[in-house]
Each structure stands twice: as C-alpha cells, then as structure tokens.
Amino acid sequence: MQLGMVGLGRMGANIVRRLLRHGHTCVAYDRNPEPGRQLAAEGAEMVSDLPALVATLKPPRVVWLMLPAGQITEAAIHALAGLLAPGDVIIDGGNTFWKDDIRRARELSEKSLHYVDVGTSGGVWGLERGYCMMIGGEKAVVDRLDPIFAALAPGRGEIPPTPGRAGRDPRAEQGYIHAGPSGAGHFVKMVHNGIEYGLMQAYAEGFEILKHADSAELPQEQRFDLDLADVAEVWRRGSVVSSWLLDLTAMALANDPKLDSFAGYVEDSGEGRWTINAAVEEAVPAIVLSAALYARFRSRQEASFADKMLSAMRKGFGGHQEPKKS
C-alpha cells in the first residue's frame, strides 16, 4: 500500500523504514528536511509541503501523522482536511487525548473523510521490534488498512500462545488490535502509559531500596553492598518481575552503575494525567498510578536515585532526554 507520513521524528522515520522494508511505498514530509534526506536514500519519496504530499498520493489517500499531541497535530489535521478528498483517511499515531479523537472523527466525517487513531507503543526500538498498536476507528476503514498495521506490528515472535484464545481475533497475537470506534485506540494507549508509570515507579523504588542497603542508618551486620547491575541482570532471567522495562534498567546500570549521567528530573508527557482524570470520571481508584504521577512531580524539586532510574528507563524506551537545567 501507499502511505503518506507527516512527522519524521524518533518514531515517524522508523515507521516509514519498516513499511519500506515490507514492500509498501511511502511519501513523507517534515518541516525539517534533514531526516528526509536519509529516508529518500532508502526509498521514500520526499515532498516539501502538505499540498505536495496530497498531490503525490493516489486516492483513496492515507496520511499518517506522527506529531506531538496538541496544536501542532490539530493544525496539520485542519490543513489536510482542506486538501484531501472524500474517502481519504487521516491516521493520528501520536499520543493524542482520546476525546479529541472523537471530536475530530465527527468533524472530518462531515467532509466524508475518515479518521483513525492509533495508540503506538515501541519507541525508538520499533524499527526492529515492531510496534504494538491499539487502533480506533470505523471497522471497514481499519480492515482496509490492515496491510499497513500488519507490517508495523511485531508479529507473534517466540511468545507462546495464550491458552483459551482459540476463536478470538488473531490480530492481538500479532501485536495490534482494533479496540473500537474513534477514540478507543488512544484511550487504551493512555491507560497503557498510565500503567507504565506505575511499573517504572515500582522498579525505581525497588532499586533505590537496594542501593541504600548499606546505609549508615542500619546496624553494621544488616548492611549489604549490592551490585545493582547484577541484580537487574539476574531478575531478567526467569523471575516473575522480568519485563522489557527491566531489560532497559539492566542496560542502564551496566553502562552507568551510579546513573551519574542522569539528573533525575522526570517529565510526564500527559498520558499519566489523562489516565488519572479518566479514573476520577469513572470513580475508579487508581492508587498506584496516582502516586507514580505525583512522584514525577516531586522529582522536579529534589531528585533521588529512583528518579535517575526513571530517567534512564524513559531514555531507554523512548529516547526521552532530560531537560537542561537553566
């Protein structure tokens, strides 16, 4: 299939690369021409602006936006809505607020345009590992775009089948789902990221306890000088707390045992707050997720080793850099 990609940042460029590797054709645009030069050498067709992108694509067109949530994405959708033709599709693969998806789908449908929201997980590793995708939109449209999603998804890999899943949607085992109507994809991804906050905080606090096991506050015979890199490594292999986040933790500690390269100033990109807001609206207690979000706020006042661990994990999976101190 042919796809137009707008936004060639940490994930957009690699989505294009993965599609090219699977035989799809891509037309791409970014305000910064630099990432496009390399993609052009790899087989993508680069254009200079959105009108050129739309003119190059064959109808029915499919345009994927991989831009920061908020006004940048909103402006791009507004511009595309004035350029595209009935039957064309706009995909938003960024971390957009799900209620915005519902509104956009309604507004675009008045122009006979289709809108698909794709919660995309995979970060800077997605090119090789594939992207876990949670998709919202009209079933017929999502089904038509399946070759794109199938190419981007991780596939079954070596993960054994889950007992009892016979007869269910096989796409979930490939690493992507049609979650429901517009907004459902980003809603599921939002909660995914909220859970991520809690998991990261649990690892960070656990390793902080391990780090301070030799504290002068303890009796001498109760002190342990632990090798945190070795602890992380052994937990990766057969323990019940093994995960990709633990893999990233082990990598960070192996390369920087004291995490001196991190300040521990931990940003939150919005999804944690939205998850807590959803929990409040639904009257669902989210004790761990709330605490994890507040811990990030606290890190910006006085950072700890646990906060450095959070920063290391965020850099590991998403390439997130700590803000420079003024």
Side-chain angles (χ1 to χ4, degrees):
M1 291 186 70
Q2 185 189 52
L3 177 82
M5 175 62 73
V6 179
L8 301 175
R10 289 190 298 263
M11 293 178 68
N14 280 345
I15 287 175
V16 170
R17 290 188 173 96
R18 189 168 175 92
L19 289 173
L20 291 173
R21 291 181 182 182
H22 283 77
H24 298 280
T25 59
C26 295
V27 181
Y29 164 68
D30 193 288
R31 289 184 299 179
N32 177 7
E34 188 55 39
R37 294 191 179 98
Q38 181 60 43
L39 282 176
E42 297 175 36
E45 183 173 356
M46 302 306 302
V47 294
S48 58
D49 54 27
L50 291 180
L53 181 89
V54 172
T56 304
L57 293 171
K58 299 175 183 178
R61 303 168 186 84
V62 182
V63 181
W64 184 308
L65 304 181
M66 210 63 188
L67 299 169
Q71 288 304 311
I72 294 177
T73 297
E74 199 72 36
I77 290 175
H78 179 75
L80 285 168
L83 297 168
L84 295 171
D88 293 345
V89 182
I90 295 176
I91 300 173
D92 181 5
N95 285 324
T96 288
F97 185 43
W98 60 278
K99 291 184 180 179
D100 288 337
D101 292 318
I102 295 174
R103 171 183 54 80
R104 290 171 181 170
R106 181 178 62 251
E107 293 172 351
L108 291 172
S109 69
E110 296 173 357
K111 300 176 179 291
S112 297
L113 298 174
H114 303 292
Y115 179 82
V116 175
D117 54 288
V118 180
T120 311
S121 181
V124 296
W125 299 79
L127 176 60
E128 301 300 332
R129 292 172 58 105
Y131 298 92
C132 173
M133 291 169 291
M134 297 135 271
I135 306 163
E138 304 161 75
K139 182 180 185 304
V141 176
V142 173
D143 288 348
R144 176 160 64 86
L145 299 176
D146 190 75
I148 290 173
F149 300 133
L152 293 175
R156 288 185 62 172
E158 298 179 357
I159 300 175
T162 299
R165 278 200 56 86
R168 301 183 68 88
D169 189 341
R171 291 176 294 186
E173 292 183 339
Q174 300 297 321
Y176 66 109
I177 60 170
H178 180 206
S182 298
H186 277 142
F187 184 86
V188 175
K189 177 57 162 49
M190 173 191 73
V191 177
H192 163 283
N193 284 23
I195 292 171
E196 179 185 285
Y197 279 40
L199 292 173
M200 292 172 67
Q201 189 65 30
Y203 282 126
E205 291 178 8
F207 278 94
E208 175 119 49
I209 294 169
L210 294 171
K211 180 179 184 295
H212 291 284
D214 63 350
S215 170
E217 301 294 323
L218 299 169
Q220 184 64 47
E221 67 273 14
Q222 295 180 16
R223 301 178 192 174
F224 303 110
D225 183 12
L226 301 170
D227 187 318
L228 302 191
D230 282 356
V231 172
E233 187 64 28
V234 75
W235 282 355
R236 291 181 61 213
R237 304 178 183 278
S239 86
V240 297
V241 299
S242 59
S243 72
W244 185 32
L245 287 173
L246 185 60
D247 295 345
L248 297 172
T249 298
M251 291 168 57
L253 289 169
N255 289 299
D256 185 3
K258 295 183 179 180
L259 302 183
D260 289 335
S261 59
F262 296 94
Y265 185 106
V266 188
E267 292 276 18
D268 69 286
S269 51
E271 298 90 336
R273 302 188 191 205
W274 299 340
T275 303
I276 302 307
N277 289 339
V280 171
E281 292 176 353
E282 298 169 8
V284 172
I287 300 164
V288 171
L289 307 191
S290 298
L293 176 62
Y294 292 138
R296 295 194 178 197
F297 297 163
R298 195 261 317 131
S299 77
R300 300 164 204 172
Q301 299 170 352
E302 182 179 1
S304 64
F305 182 81
D307 300 322
K308 293 182 179 182
M309 181 62 68
L310 291 173
S311 289
M313 283 186 273
R314 292 185 83 241
K315 182 178 180 181
F317 67 74
H320 301 288
Q321 300 290 339
E322 293 178 331
K324 295 181 179 179
K325 293 184 177 180
S326 56

